[in-house]
Amino acid sequence: MKPLKLAPTISTPELSYYSPDSDVAKRIKERETANIVEGYVLTRLSSNEDVYNFYAEINVDNDKLWALFKTLVIQMPDEVALIYHHIDNSPKYGMYVDKFALINFLDGFEVELCQDGFLEYGVISHRENSLDEIFVKKPKYLQCWGMEVERFISVMEQYELNVYDNLNFIDEYPSQTESLERHIPDCIKTFDILKSFEDEFGDEQLL
């Protein structure tokens, strides 16, 4: 399997920066044989007390991330809320809005949402007895909670993503994050994006 295509802002530190006997150096060496490839891990839940039926974590090449994210959002209920935050701060939740209106708004930030390693975000629909959520972590892999597991698997098949028992994720190992401005000088800055989200979606809600 080919290695996962990461965002340009996310990388593994040089081994030479650390003492060979250090824990960091050992983890970097372990990273060399880790199974960080496209695919997903899936956990099914069967308890009637759970508000979601499955949980998944998904590795996808960075140039496919946005298309997959939007496809998963389209599978969600009609009214959803945006989750967003800088990695050093707590998540904020926007007002519930139409999912297609949200997707259209977020399209204007596609590059930054896929490559800015200081930004985490997601989309949630939390009703009385059910939860659907898609969340993009700092290294740009996805977490997904939902009720319709077969529909989720169908999307994974559409993107030719296979299920694994032993998949690894980049943040299990030492990594470093660069500013997106180093790669794209005219990108929208992280805090400008967050301000746009607050201006558009209003006060924080408890979901």
Side-chain angles (χ1 to χ4, degrees), residues 76 79-81 83 93 96 122-126 131-133 207:
M76 296 177 70
E79 296 291 312
V80 298
I83 311 169
Y93 297 82
Y96 272 82
V123 174
I124 189 170
S125 173
H126 191 185
L131 171 71
D132 292 276
E133 180 179 343
L207 301 185

Side-chain angles (χ1 to χ4, degrees), residues 61-78:
D61 283 345
N62 193 254
D63 55 6
K64 302 177 188 175
L65 172 63
W66 192 242
L68 176 58
F69 177 79
K70 292 199 295 184
T71 300
L72 289 169
V73 172
I74 289 170
Q75 309 300 315
M76 296 177 70
D78 291 340

